[in-house]
């Protein structure tokens, strides 16, 4: 019944529109306005452009300023300050061009709408003008590029020697974290070693792996360089930590990396945004299947001292699960066991 | 009435035309070799696909804008993809996103735009009877049709169509274990795209050959309308880049079906380690974007060409900087091949390569800027007539500016780190490439409808259609910039799993509502299009008082286009509002010698030359007549 009523309503509406349309057409034929080069609608369209300019311009400014606090995520890394400054400088430059060109684009239609007794200017070209508006954008772009290029080179330069190494491995649909441990060197891995008890495929014949450990939360120190070593186990993923302005794809078979310096602890950020629950997050930004939108991992930034004490508390893989070293050659096994017992002290 | 008298006129002096025969329904409407009919076939197919592509986007916009909505009412069409609770299946959500992209980029904006207008306009505007090879042209459409059928069928598979995003990056697209869409759906995607590439190449070779070889007398490259320049260069780009996509797809087929490891390495999935090693997922990205980026210009250049023509005609002014426009087009063509890796700044690409591509990418902004300034100067001190085509062209310029400027952010690799794969990118390319090209398509349809069907589309419905669509598109895509700056990632089924993106539900709702309104507004166009085809006002021969050659044909040109000799061209196509001339337009077929009152000094020089040529021609004609007798 409900559906029937809707159908009748729609039918009525359509037929009314139809009638209006036919009448309009007939009236315009009678008036002969369809013979004119430009009918009265010309003026209406010209005015519409002006109205659109004013209304859309108002919305643009109003919303951009009103919402700034919302869409501008707080920055928590050193390089993020640089890239955000670049973003806003570029926005300022493009914003000026955006407004200037649109003023012209929408005012011209009103200003130069068709008049029967008028002729358009025959103005096919002007070399001076054309050279100017080739050269000026080229110059402005060069400045923008060079500053972007400098930032990019700094960000992608090799990580400092003392950077804390953290491995992030993406899989459907989560991230696994591995720390390099006391020696700050990650043990080798091989995807063929992956099984239920060794989700990272760590190769424990490599001594560097003895102190490697995992953590449910990515804990990093404030003010010290951190190197994310990024890889994927199945399909492409992408590590995205929006507050750190950090993004890097995780590629199966091709490890990638990204280093940065966090400059606000989680607690400081909580105070800044006035939210006790605030957490830094990692999300996935490369389509990876059904759970693409649920690959969340929390990053916790702490003071360096707190980081050191946290580090000391962590128990390596081989200590939590001694089976991992059960098959090692005797010599290595001994070494591993020594390390375990040292840790326990 | 008028139409009947004119067409019968046309048939009288039809001696020259060797295609003069009576077409059956099948040869006229289905297996036609007439470029005009093939153009219309592409157009109608494009409209069909646009509706499907648009509908798919509405479904996923419902999910994004109204996540709690009960979608049970879609079950009659979507079946099991709507679960018991009335929720959209997340895998099918990804399939929707993928198919929306594939359909819009390839089937609507490549085939529907280039296919329609290159076919329809190239012979008409350069003064040729048909394409260089009508048969190849027909094949081009039917390969496209085959490709369409396969893609359409894939929508109804049990496991759904391809779901790895329109870029179908492996390993996701190579492994059925990773996502159900990578099964048969992906196979059909690859087969369909293969036929699509064949279609594109057949079409492209034809366009290029025709433009180079079949221009009428006097139609030098420096007198070609900008539409033809754009179609010509588009075809060149397509010819050089589509084969690379074919290579990428072929290697993907090998990886999927024959156990090779071009793109696969070190994968552990669904509890087992795959044997593939040594492949590179990034290799696929390089190959894909070697087509993928030029593809943006394949989509955009025809729209810019159409806009140049429409703006000049309706501003009653020569296009400003004709040569600069051509040089810009050439610049964009060349540069479009050397910027592809800007899609891959954070793919693990060597950062040094990233710097190189950043420089190259930002250079391409210069010719684009020149084009915008030239459009603005063309409007300046014009005498503007707002036909629906003109409105859509102005709309296109606006989108081209808005979307193009954010390209400067994204092309800067340092800024792209944050913005890559967020909604900022979605906003950027939907404006600069999607909506701009779509507006070019609409402008073209409104402008050349009288030539296609001999009738006028209703202008008032056109105005309403324009304003709803123009405002609608901005309401849909402009807010996405804010969402993108806030870091919302693309291709997310919902954003509530993260604190940083657990906001803007209101803005997403607004975007979805605007999308629905904009989509519904397109039915005004659909109605106007089909109704006017049969019942529209009969058009006059040159309704926009335009200079180009297509308006010198009869109202319903037969196969062969001109009943008698093909007209000769004496001037460039932009002699609008020339000082001294009686009318505010001088068609290309009017000799300079007959317009002494408006000739410029250097044209006066050409008059002498022209007279000599005409004299020689006259002699040849007389000689021929004597021979025939």
């Amino acid at each position: 019944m409900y559906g029937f009523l809707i159908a009748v309503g729609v039918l009525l509406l359509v037929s009314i529109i139809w009638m209006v349309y036919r009448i309009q057409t007939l009236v315009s034929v009678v008036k002969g306005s369809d013979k004119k080069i430009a009918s009265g609608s010309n003026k209406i369209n010209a005015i519409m452009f002006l109205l659109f300019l004013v209304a859309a311009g108002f919305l643009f400014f109003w919303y951009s300023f009103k919402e700034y606090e919302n869409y501008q995520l707080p920055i928590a890394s050193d390089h993020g300050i640089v890239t955000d400054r670049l973003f806003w400088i570029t926005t300022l430059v493009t914003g000026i061009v955006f407004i200037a060109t649109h003023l012209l684009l929408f005012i011209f239609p009103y200003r130069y709408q068709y008049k029967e007794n008028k002729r358009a200017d025959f103005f096919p070209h002007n070399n001076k003008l054309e050279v100017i508006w080739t050269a000026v954008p080229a110059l402005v772009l060069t400045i923008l590029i060079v500053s972007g290029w400098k930032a990019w080179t700094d960000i992608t330069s090799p990580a400092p020697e003392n950077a804390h190494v953290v491995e992030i491995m993406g899989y459907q649909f989560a991230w696994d974290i591995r720390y390099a441990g006391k020696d700050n060197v990650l043990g080798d891995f091989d995807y063929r070693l992956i099984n239920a008890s060794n989700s990272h495929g760590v190769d424990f014949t490599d001594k560097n792996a003895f102190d490697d450990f995992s953590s449910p939360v990515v804990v990093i120190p404030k003010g010290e360089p951190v190197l994310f070593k990024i890889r994927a186990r199945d399909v492409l993923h992408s590590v995205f930590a929006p507050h750190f302005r950090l993004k890097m794809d995780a590629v199966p078979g091709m490890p990638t990396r990204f280093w940065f310096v966090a400059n606000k602890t989680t607690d400081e950020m909580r105070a800044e945004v006035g939210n006790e629950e605030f957490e830094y997050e990692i999300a996935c930004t490369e389509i990876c299947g059904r759970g693409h939108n649920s690959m969340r991992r929390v990053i916790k930034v702490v003071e360096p001292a707190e980081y050191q004490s946290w580090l000391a508390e962590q128990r390596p893989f081989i200590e939590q699960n001694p089976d991992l070293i059960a098959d090692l050659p005797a010599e290595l096994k001994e070494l591993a066991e020594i390390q375990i017992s040292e840790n326990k002290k | 009435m008028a139409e009947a008298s004119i067409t019968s006129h046309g048939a009288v002096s039809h001696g020259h035309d060797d295609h003069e025969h009576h077409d059956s329904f099948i040869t006229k409407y289905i297996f036609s070799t007439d470029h005009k009919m093939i153009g219309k076939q592409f157009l109608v197919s494009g409209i069909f696909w646009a509706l499907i592509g648009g509908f798919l986007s509405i479904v996923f916009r419902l999910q994004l804008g109204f996540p709690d909505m009960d979608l049970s009412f879609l079950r009659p069409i979507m079946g099991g993809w709507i679960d018991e609770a009335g929720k959209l299946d997340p895998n099918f959500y990804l399939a929707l996103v993928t198919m929306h992209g594939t359909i819009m980029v390839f089937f609507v904006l490549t085939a529907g735009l280039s296919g329609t207008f290159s076919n329809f306009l190239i012979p008409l505007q350069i003064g040729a009877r048909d394409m260089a090879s009508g048969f190849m042209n027909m094949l081009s459409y039917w390969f496209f049709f085959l490709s369409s059928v396969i893609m359409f069928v894939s929508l109804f598979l049990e496991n759904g169509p391809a779901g790895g995003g329109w870029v179908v990056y492996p390993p996701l697209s190579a492994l059925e274990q990773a996502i159900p869409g990578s099964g048969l759906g992906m196979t059909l995607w690859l087969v369909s795209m293969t036929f699509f590439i064949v279609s594109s190449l057949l079409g492209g070779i034809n366009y290029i050959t025709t433009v180079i070889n079949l221009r009428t007398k006097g139609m030098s490259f420096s007198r070609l309308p900008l539409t033809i320049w754009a179609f010509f260069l588009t075809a060149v780009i397509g010819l050089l880049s589509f084969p690379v996509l074919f290579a990428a797809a072929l290697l993907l087929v090998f990886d999927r079906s024959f156990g090779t490891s071009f793109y696969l390495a070190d994968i552990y999935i669904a509890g087992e380690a795959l044997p593939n090693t040594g492949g590179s997922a990034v290799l696929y990205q390089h190959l894909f974007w070697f087509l993928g980026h030029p593809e943006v210009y394949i989509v955009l250049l025809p729209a810019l060409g159409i806009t140049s023509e429409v703006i000049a005609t309706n501003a009653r002014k020569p296009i400003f900087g004709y040569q600069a426009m051509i040089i810009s087009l050439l610049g964009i063509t060349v540069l479009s091949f050397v910027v592809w890796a800007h899609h891959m700044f954070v793919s693990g690409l060597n950062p040094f390569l990233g710097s190189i591509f950043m420089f190259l990418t930002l250079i391409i902004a210069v010719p684009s800027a020149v084009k915008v300034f030239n459009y603005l100067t063309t409007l300046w001190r014009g005498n503007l007539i707002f036909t629906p085509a003109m409105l859509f062209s102005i709309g296109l310029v606006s989108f081209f500016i808005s979307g193009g400027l954010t390209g400067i952010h994204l092309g800067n690799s340092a800024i792209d780190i944050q913005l890559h794969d967020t909604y900022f990118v979605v906003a950027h390319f939907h404006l600069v490439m999607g909506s701009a090209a779509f507006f070019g398509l609409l402008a073209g349809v409104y402008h050349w409808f009288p030539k296609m069907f001999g009738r006028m589309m209703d202008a008032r419905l056109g105005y309403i259609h324009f304003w709803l669509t123009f405002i609608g598109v901005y309401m849909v895509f402009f807010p996405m910039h804010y969402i993108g700056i806030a870091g919302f990632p693309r291709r997310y089924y919902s954003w509530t799993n993260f604190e940083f993106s657990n906001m803007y539900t209101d803005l997403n709702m607004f975007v979805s509502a605007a999308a629905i309104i904009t989509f519904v507004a397109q039915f005004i166009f659909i109605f106007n299009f089909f109704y006017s085809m049969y019942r529209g006002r009969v058009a006059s021969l040159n309704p926009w008082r335009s200079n180009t050659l297509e308006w010198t044909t009869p109202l319903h040109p037969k196969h062969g286009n001109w009943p008698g000799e093909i007209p000769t061209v004496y001037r460039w196509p932009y002699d609008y509002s020339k000082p001294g001339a009686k009318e505010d337009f001088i068609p290309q077929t009017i000799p300079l010698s007959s317009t002494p009152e408006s000739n410029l000094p250097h044209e006066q020089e050409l008059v002498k030359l022209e007279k000599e040529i005409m004299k020689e021609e006259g002699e040849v004609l007389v000689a021929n007549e004597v021979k025939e007798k």
Side-chain angles (χ1 to χ4, degrees):
Chain A
M1 191 60 206
Y2 196 56
F4 176 73
L5 279 178
I6 291 178
V8 170
V10 168
L11 207 69
L12 258 172
L13 197 72
V14 169
S15 45
I16 289 172
I17 293 172
W18 172 258
M19 293 271 286
V20 171
Y21 163 66
R22 283 306 293 169
I23 292 168
Q24 285 264 0
T25 315
L26 290 175
V27 167
S28 79
V29 169
V30 172
K31 274 186 172 165
S33 59
D34 55 335
K35 296 274 188 309
K36 281 194 206 152
I37 286 169
S39 62
S41 317
N42 216 50
K43 185 160 204 165
I44 297 174
N45 280 310
I47 293 170
M48 281 293 286
F49 276 115
L50 275 191
L51 289 180
F52 179 81
L53 176 70
V54 173
F58 169 76
L59 274 176
F60 167 62
F61 279 105
W62 169 71
Y63 198 81
S64 297
F65 285 106
K66 175 180 101 78
E67 284 291 304
Y68 178 79
E69 294 291 319
N70 265 334
Y71 60 74
Q72 173 66 18
L73 289 182
I75 311 169
S77 68
D78 284 352
H79 77 268
I81 295 172
V82 178
T83 58
D84 257 49
R85 193 194 307 129
L86 281 175
F87 175 85
W88 287 110
I89 291 172
T90 309
T91 306
L92 181 71
V93 173
T94 54
I96 291 169
V97 179
F98 173 68
I99 291 161
T101 47
H102 271 95
L103 281 175
L104 299 180
L105 184 66
F106 293 142
I107 289 175
F108 285 171
Y110 181 78
R111 177 74 181 70
Y112 302 112
Q113 53 183 295
Y114 185 83
K115 290 197 183 68
E116 219 159 320
N117 49 7
K118 202 184 79 182
R119 267 283 169 104
D121 257 17
F122 188 81
F123 186 47
H125 74 108
N126 180 319
N127 287 341
K128 203 203 237 164
L129 268 181
E130 284 163 71
V131 167
I132 291 174
W133 61 52
T134 310
V136 171
L139 193 73
V140 174
L141 281 168
T142 310
I143 297 168
L144 290 177
I145 299 175
V146 169
S147 51
W149 174 62
K150 277 171 101 173
W152 171 251
T153 326
D154 290 345
I155 294 166
T156 56
S157 62
E161 294 268 315
N162 62 342
H164 303 277
V165 178
V166 183
E167 184 191 63
I168 302 185
M169 183 191 70
Y171 65 96
Q172 289 180 322
F173 296 99
W175 305 101
D176 249 1
I177 313 299
R178 179 161 67 120
Y179 275 80
K182 290 201 186 73
D183 60 358
N184 204 27
V185 180
L186 285 164
D188 283 345
F189 62 88
D190 186 326
Y191 80 105
R192 279 164 293 208
L193 298 174
I194 296 174
N195 57 40
S197 58
N198 186 1
S199 66
H200 297 260
V202 179
D203 179 1
F204 288 101
T205 57
D206 179 8
K207 278 179 291 190
N208 292 325
F210 290 164
D211 59 350
D212 290 2
F213 64 89
S214 185
S215 163
V217 175
V218 185
V219 181
I220 54 170
K222 173 189 159 186
E224 291 177 14
V226 173
L227 171 64
F228 280 172
K229 291 197 161 180
I230 298 164
R231 63 189 174 106
R233 204 170 78 174
D234 37 37
V235 298
L236 294 176
H237 301 277
S238 187
V239 177
F240 176 41
H243 297 95
F244 301 104
R245 308 298 192 258
L246 179 160
K247 188 177 288 141
M248 184 50 71
D249 280 8
V251 185
M254 193 189 86
T256 54
R257 61 187 171 78
F258 199 111
W259 77 272
F260 67 107
V261 179
N263 60 13
K264 279 176 204 160
T265 65
T266 301
D267 286 335
E268 283 168 350
M269 190 56 96
R270 281 178 179 167
E272 186 184 315
V273 299
N275 174 7
E276 274 308 299
E277 316 267 283
F278 175 88
E279 300 281 11
Y280 294 119
E281 294 171 307
I282 293 179
C284 178
T285 49
E286 188 63 68
I287 182 170
C288 60
R290 186 185 176 98
H292 174 46
N293 63 331
S294 60
M295 292 178 59
R296 180 171 187 259
R297 197 48 85 188
V298 168
I299 299 181
K300 194 172 178 203
V301 183
V302 296
E303 294 294 343
E306 195 183 342
Y307 176 72
Q308 289 305 334
S309 62
W310 175 83
L311 208 57
E313 283 166 20
Q314 301 306 308
R315 295 284 157 258
F317 288 117
I318 54 172
E319 191 183 324
Q320 296 201 348
N321 183 5
D323 290 348
L324 288 171
I325 50 168
D327 299 335
L328 289 188
E331 219 172 294
L332 275 170
K333 201 170 169 181
E334 204 175 320
L335 213 62
E337 275 158 0
I338 292 169
Q339 195 144 0
I340 293 175
S341 55
E342 264 181 17
N343 268 345
K344 284 195 174 143
K345 277 173 201 164
Chain B
M1 284 299 285
E3 116 191 47
S5 67
I6 285 161
T7 39
S8 60
H9 238 298
V12 177
S13 51
H14 216 285
H16 185 89
D17 184 4
D18 51 358
H19 295 286
E20 184 57 30
H21 49 72
H22 291 285
D23 289 318
S24 67
F25 179 82
I26 289 181
T27 57
K28 184 165 181 206
Y29 291 107
I30 301 177
F31 294 109
S32 173
T33 54
D34 182 352
H35 70 99
K36 297 187 291 299
M37 184 53 67
I38 295 171
K40 291 177 206 171
Q41 289 174 329
F42 270 111
L43 179 57
V44 173
S45 316
I47 291 175
F48 168 79
W49 274 118
L51 285 178
I52 293 189
F55 173 74
L56 298 183
S57 72
I58 295 305
V59 177
F60 65 69
R61 267 326 308 185
L62 282 178
Q63 162 62 29
L64 295 176
F66 310 95
D68 300 324
M69 193 176 184
D70 183 1
L71 294 176
S72 306
F73 67 94
L74 284 172
R75 207 170 282 142
I77 342 174
M78 316 256 307
W81 298 116
I82 308 289
D83 71 10
E84 293 305 306
K87 288 272 167 291
L88 186 65
D89 181 81
N91 275 324
F92 196 68
Y93 169 84
L94 295 178
L96 285 172
V97 176
T98 306
M99 294 317 280
H100 168 74
T102 307
I103 289 170
M104 287 306 198
V105 170
F106 293 110
F107 291 70
V108 179
L109 295 177
T110 305
L113 178 58
S114 224
T116 303
F117 290 104
S118 295
N119 269 311
F120 189 79
L121 288 180
I122 289 178
L124 282 173
Q125 286 198 332
I126 65 171
R129 299 221 176 263
D130 201 332
M131 284 288 178
S133 166
F135 181 71
M136 256 168 78
N137 212 19
M138 180 186 85
L139 278 185
S140 161
Y141 178 74
W142 286 102
F143 270 110
F144 166 62
F145 190 83
L146 183 60
S147 149
S148 295
V149 170
I150 295 168
M151 196 60 88
F152 189 70
V153 166
S154 87
L155 290 171
F156 299 96
L157 295 176
E158 194 187 345
N159 281 332
W166 79 280
V167 296
V168 295
Y169 282 174
L172 185 63
S173 61
L175 305 171
E176 207 175 339
Q177 307 92 304
I179 187 171
S182 290
L184 189 55
M186 190 59 213
T187 307
L188 291 191
W189 192 96
L190 288 165
V191 174
S192 168
M193 283 315 297
T194 305
F195 286 120
F196 186 89
I197 293 167
V198 173
S199 154
S200 263
L201 295 181
L202 285 170
I205 292 171
N206 231 339
Y207 306 150
I208 295 171
T209 320
T210 310
V211 172
I212 293 179
N213 291 313
L214 297 184
R215 283 164 292 124
T216 183
K217 194 172 295 153
M219 183 62 94
S220 59
F221 268 86
S222 58
R223 283 176 180 167
L224 280 181
L226 286 172
T227 36
I228 303 302
W229 267 106
F231 299 147
F232 175 66
L233 293 173
T234 304
V236 172
I237 299 177
L239 200 61
L240 294 175
S241 62
F242 266 114
V244 180
L245 177 67
F246 179 68
L250 196 64
L251 299 187
L252 186 53
V253 169
F254 284 157
D255 272 9
R256 288 165 51 80
S257 310
F258 306 119
T260 55
S261 309
F262 290 106
Y263 307 132
L264 305 180
D266 304 2
I267 291 166
Y268 177 91
I269 192 166
E272 70 169 327
L274 303 185
N276 313 69
T277 52
S280 164
V282 178
L283 169 65
Y284 174 85
Q285 299 176 24
H286 278 295
L287 292 175
F288 179 85
W289 287 113
F290 192 87
L291 158 92
H293 196 79
E295 172 66 26
V296 170
Y297 296 98
I298 292 176
V299 161
L300 191 62
L301 290 190
L304 292 176
I306 288 170
T307 304
S308 308
E309 181 64 28
V310 171
I311 286 189
T313 305
N314 289 298
R316 315 306 296 163
K317 248 189 102 189
I319 191 84
F320 181 80
Y322 174 77
Q323 278 177 1
M325 290 300 235
I326 295 171
I327 294 168
S328 308
L329 284 174
L330 281 166
I332 291 174
T333 303
V334 173
L335 288 170
S336 74
F337 283 101
V338 291
V339 299
W340 78 87
H342 67 221
H343 298 267
M344 302 165 59
F345 284 142
V346 294
S347 67
L349 188 79
N350 185 329
F352 175 69
L353 207 54
S355 318
I356 302 287
F357 276 95
M358 163 165 60
F359 280 97
L360 290 166
T361 298
L362 293 182
I363 296 175
I364 208 169
V366 175
S368 309
V370 170
K371 290 198 80 82
V372 167
F373 293 134
N374 285 359
Y375 287 134
L376 287 174
T377 319
T378 308
L379 293 177
W380 179 67
R381 307 186 73 167
N383 206 11
L384 312 183
I385 304 167
F386 299 111
T387 62
M390 179 67 160
L391 294 177
F392 276 100
S393 297
I394 295 175
L396 180 153
V397 176
S398 172
F399 293 153
F400 189 56
I401 298 170
S402 309
L405 287 172
T406 50
I408 296 173
H409 293 93
L410 295 167
N412 191 328
S413 54
I415 303 175
D416 185 61
I417 296 172
Q418 176 74 359
L419 297 177
H420 179 76
D421 266 346
T422 64
Y423 262 70
F424 196 83
V425 179
V426 178
H428 161 71
F429 72 77
H430 273 98
L431 282 175
V432 76
M433 147 183 165
S435 303
F438 182 62
F439 268 39
L441 175 68
L442 290 171
V445 173
Y446 278 107
H447 194 77
W448 281 287
F449 191 88
K451 195 70 259 157
M452 287 180 176
F453 301 102
R455 289 170 185 274
M456 304 296 282
M457 286 179 85
D458 186 75
R460 264 200 204 86
L461 287 181
Y463 301 144
I464 298 170
H465 175 219
F466 168 75
W467 284 108
L468 284 175
T469 313
F470 183 59
I471 296 170
V473 165
Y474 264 126
M475 294 298 120
V476 172
F477 297 116
F478 209 86
M480 287 186 187
H481 291 110
Y482 303 107
I483 300 177
I485 296 169
F488 282 50
R490 288 170 77 178
R491 296 165 179 151
Y492 264 33
Y493 176 75
S494 88
W495 289 292
T496 47
N497 290 324
F498 295 90
E499 263 174 45
F500 78 88
S501 63
N502 195 7
M503 59 169 176
Y504 278 138
T505 44
D506 53 344
L507 202 57
N508 271 309
M509 209 185 289
F510 177 80
V511 167
S512 295
I516 292 167
I517 294 170
T518 314
F519 180 66
V520 171
Q522 302 318 303
F523 287 91
I524 299 174
F525 169 76
I526 302 282
F527 165 76
N528 198 353
F529 183 80
F530 288 104
Y531 180 80
S532 305
M533 206 188 282
Y534 298 102
R535 304 286 302 276
R537 201 156 46 78
V538 173
S540 56
L541 277 182
N542 189 358
W544 318 119
R545 303 180 312 131
S546 178
N547 288 344
T548 38
L549 280 185
E550 73 272 28
W551 306 107
T552 62
T553 58
L555 193 63
H556 290 282
K558 289 262 158 62
H559 196 172
N561 296 340
W562 284 270
E565 286 293 322
I566 300 176
T568 305
V569 164
Y570 298 98
R571 58 177 77 230
W572 76 327
Y574 298 109
D575 267 347
Y576 290 106
S577 299
K578 216 171 178 189
K582 259 199 291 312
E583 291 277 353
D584 63 357
F585 68 114
I586 312 174
Q588 286 189 279
T589 49
I590 308 284
L592 289 168
S593 49
S594 65
T595 56
E597 69 281 4
S598 68
N599 286 349
L600 302 170
H602 75 275
E603 286 170 336
Q604 209 54 47
E605 295 291 311
L606 292 173
V607 169
K608 265 185 254 157
L609 202 69
E610 193 182 283
K611 276 191 176 147
E612 272 169 36
I613 294 169
M614 284 165 96
K615 202 174 133 206
E616 272 172 36
E617 260 174 31
E619 280 163 13
V620 172
L621 273 181
V622 171
N624 279 349
E625 258 172 48
V626 171
K627 247 188 251 167
E628 272 173 29
K629 274 174 191 167

